Amino acid sequence: MPRLDDALITPLRDDLGAAGFTVDGVRALWSDAAGAALTRSHRLPAERELAAGREAGELSAAGTLAWLFVLGLQVSEAELEGALPRTGVRGALGLGLVAAEASDRLRPLVDLRPYAFTDGVGSAQWWVSSDLGELALGHALEADHVLGIGGASSTLSGLIVPRPARRALDLGTGCGIQAMHVARYAGSVVATDISPRALEYAAFNAALNGIGNIEFLLGSLFDPVAGERFDHIVSNPPFVITPRVEEVPEYEYRDGGFAGDELVERVVRETGAHLEPGGIAQLLGNWEYRAGADGLDRVRRWTEGLDAWVVERELQDAPQYAETWIRDGGTRPGDAAYERWYAAWLDDFARRDVDYVGFGYLTLRRPADGAPTLARFEQVETSGANEAGLGAHLDGALAAHDRLAGMTDAALSAARLVVSRDVTEERHSWPGDENPTVIVLHQGGGFGRAVQADPALAGFVGACDGELAAGQIVDALATIFEVDAGELGAQLLPAVRELVFTGFLGFAE
Ligand SMILES: C[S@@+](CC[C@H](N)C(=O)[O-])C[C@H]1O[C@@H](n2cnc3c(N)ncnc32)[C@H](O)[C@@H]1O
């Protein structure tokens, strides 16, 4: 793991910047096919494409850094000196980034790569270090492996509601990625982890990227922040359900050592006590479906006392789940352990009568005052295009919920609404038939939801241009469809509330 040395971190940052070691810079080093192979954990195509230039002494500084820290291959001292002139080989050794091998060779000790993102503040680029992956190590991961930015990390960072916070908490910070993201909105951040190695990485990454408002605390779950409250909590906790069998490794980065989904339950249940009134928690998790019952109903019980919006994005059956997580650690079908671990997972699931495991995200809020008003537990496939992530959409939905919760139907009828610019309408009709048999409203951003609408609701949405009040549109539609306006309003307004919450419609003022 890297060693944080204040005197060396600025030269390193300057070197990485001067080398053009950026996401685009690295992508341009090899073909798309080689890049795709890398994402499938095969480095050979990229290695071959860089090798010729390297042998001719023509590899750029970014190429050398990618060769070393992304592909996990060795370089000569002269090569590293050329790529990191301010840091130098001595500096890189001092920072614990490389180790000397025989005859002038240096091998990487960490994975270090550029990371680009767009959020509510704007676009930015960082460098993030983590433990070397399977590809560079050539073997399965160690139990104390510190993970880099994976799919779940990006899911959570994209969800972060871009809301100013006085104090924020990242529980289970790993390489520090969520803490660094939330630090863009928060006055100060506390980042915790049970792994001292993870905290070393996280502190190094924050310093490398010039982020100074994060405090790093060692300890399990909420222990390091006992009695403290935060405006914003984020956590990608070690939620992976793992059989408690001696030979199945307990990977610290993904498994908190509890049975079943108990770790997620504990994090969810303990979150409320650590939120300021009105504070928000955003968590990822897995939950079990036991004895044929809906897993979301179990999650509902964990969230008592809080506003809760839980989105289940994926559902895997028990064997699929086992296969996913056995492979994740680098164990493949055909390896000696594979079948035994598979059996251990199935035995573990059978013990609690688990047939499915849900994955998704929880947005929890401690009510500013009074009882919770939001309880939404749903399965949604996310297909919306959101350049800056889903965070702004979630924020808008919470604000819409609060406004709607305080509105009677009469007040809603008096409001003027506008259809969002990303909404399109799809109509299907039988050949030759003038009237549509199916109308579907599609959302381009947000969750990319599709909603089936009857002609009255489609007509309502189509008329929402901010000119007429909702009630006036209902009256006009009642005349067109020759129905009672009161009855039509009673039918449409719940659907209108749903469309406002989900972002198809917004308030004109
Ligand atoms: C899935 S990783 C998330 C890392 C990072 N936050 C991200 O989003 O990529 C979970 C992290 O939780 C840490 N962890 C495991 N058990 C923990 C516990 N009991 N209390 C706090 N953190 C724990 C692991 O060391 C790991 O860094």
Side-chain angles (χ1 to χ4, degrees):
M1 76 200 155
R3 278 186 292 275
L4 182 48
D5 179 334
D6 290 338
L8 289 170
I9 210 84
T10 306
L12 177 63
R13 185 190 312 137
D14 292 346
D15 277 337
L16 297 174
F21 192 47
T22 61
V23 168
D24 287 345
V26 170
R27 196 179 293 132
L29 290 169
W30 42 66
S31 64
D32 289 349
L38 264 182
T39 62
R40 299 191 302 270
S41 297
H42 297 292
R43 71 178 167 196
L44 194 59
E47 182 181 342
R48 286 164 62 116
E49 289 180 21
L50 290 194
R54 186 169 172 258
E55 274 154 30
E58 290 165 1
L59 199 56
S60 64
T64 300
L65 294 172
W67 180 272
L68 180 68
F69 292 123
V70 178
L71 300 185
L73 297 162
Q74 297 187 6
V75 296
S76 70
E77 289 192 2
E79 282 178 293
L80 190 62
E81 201 68 49
L84 298 177
R86 298 164 187 82
T87 315
V89 169
R90 278 187 61 172
L93 287 165
L95 286 166
L97 302 180
V98 294
E101 290 283 291
S103 63
D104 175 39
R105 314 298 302 163
L106 295 165
R107 76 182 157 85
L109 291 180
V110 303
D111 181 298
L112 175 66
R113 58 184 70 204
Y115 165 71
F117 61 91
T118 302
D119 64 9
V121 177
S123 297
Q125 184 125 214
W126 290 330
W127 295 281
V128 176
S129 68
S130 59
D131 270 333
L132 290 166
E134 247 180 86
L135 186 147
L137 293 170
H139 56 75
L141 305 176
E142 301 296 336
D144 64 353
H145 179 78
V146 176
L147 197 64
I149 297 169
S153 324
S154 301
T155 297
L156 180 60
S157 62
L159 292 172
I160 293 178
V161 165
R163 215 180 251 198
R166 200 175 59 85
R167 291 188 80 214
L169 169 69
D170 174 20
L171 189 143
T173 197
C175 68
I177 187 64
Q178 311 303 342
M180 298 202 302
H181 272 289
V182 83
R184 286 164 67 81
Y185 308 107
S188 65
V189 181
V190 175
T192 69
D193 208 289
I194 205 169
S195 156
R197 299 187 69 250
L199 292 180
E200 295 281 345
Y201 271 111
F204 180 87
N205 289 332
L208 179 58
N209 295 293
I211 301 168
N213 57 342
I214 309 177
E215 181 189 4
F216 299 93
L217 298 180
L218 183 67
S220 182
L221 300 182
F222 289 99
D223 289 354
V225 292
E228 295 186 45
R229 284 184 184 172
F230 300 87
D231 307 295
H232 201 160
I233 297 177
V234 292
S235 183
N236 170 11
F239 54 74
V240 176
I241 297 161
T242 310
R244 300 291 148 219
V245 175
E246 187 79 17
E247 68 160 329
V248 174
E250 292 191 358
Y251 289 114
E252 226 166 25
Y253 70 85
R254 65 178 212 197
D255 160 27
F258 292 82
D261 54 18
E262 199 185 319
L263 179 124
V264 180
E265 175 175 355
R266 286 184 62 154
V267 173
V268 174
R269 284 191 188 276
E270 290 176 29
T271 288
H274 294 279
L275 283 174
E276 293 285 3
I280 292 185
Q282 300 188 272
L283 318 171
L284 299 186
N286 269 157
W287 37 85
E288 295 182 334
Y289 278 58
R290 295 181 182 169
D294 190 334
L296 281 171
D297 284 341
R298 301 184 58 243
V299 181
R300 185 189 300 268
R301 292 197 289 276
W302 304 343
T303 62
E304 268 164 32
L306 297 174
D307 280 331
W309 180 10
V310 180
V311 170
E312 183 175 272
R313 206 189 67 177
E314 219 177 297
L315 192 61
Q316 284 191 311
D317 60 40
Q320 274 179 317
Y321 189 87
E323 291 157 25
T324 302
W325 293 108
I326 297 170
R327 282 169 188 269
D328 171 79
T331 306
R332 302 273 175 266
D335 293 350
Y338 190 90
E339 291 293 317
R340 293 198 306 276
W341 295 5
Y342 203 162
W345 244 280
L346 296 181
D347 286 345
D348 182 51
F349 282 140
R351 227 166 277 135
R352 293 182 302 280
D353 203 2
V354 174
D355 37 17
Y356 289 95
V357 178
F359 164 79
Y361 19 95
L362 303 92
T363 305
L364 307 174
R365 188 173 57 169
R366 180 168 171 180
D369 48 45
T373 57
L374 176 62
R376 198 177 164 104
F377 299 81
E378 56 182 336
Q379 289 179 315
V380 186
E381 271 180 41
T382 321
S383 62
N386 301 282
E387 202 202 345
L390 262 168
H393 178 75
L394 298 182
D395 203 17
L398 290 176
H401 166 79
D402 292 343
R403 190 159 173 183
L404 288 167
M407 264 182 149
T408 60
D409 277 356
L412 180 58
S413 296
R416 288 181 293 123
L417 300 170
V418 278
V419 62
S420 302
R421 291 173 65 92
D422 62 337
V423 173
T424 53
E425 187 190 85
E426 181 188 4
R427 286 177 176 244
H428 298 267
S429 39
W430 296 112
D433 204 340
E434 265 183 30
N435 297 319
T437 47
V438 179
I439 306 173
V440 184
L441 300 170
H442 290 276
Q443 179 180 47
F447 283 100
R449 294 177 195 257
V451 173
Q452 202 158 331
D454 62 18
L457 185 60
F460 182 93
V461 171
C464 283
D465 59 2
E467 291 293 318
L468 295 176
Q472 290 173 304
I473 298 175
V474 171
D475 289 346
L477 289 169
T479 307
I480 293 168
F481 289 110
E482 296 176 354
V483 295
D484 178 75
E487 280 176 22
L488 186 61
Q491 174 203 319
L492 285 181
L493 288 185
V496 169
R497 285 180 185 268
E498 173 69 9
L499 290 177
V500 172
F501 178 82
T502 50
F504 286 77
L505 295 175
F507 289 99
E509 69 288 320

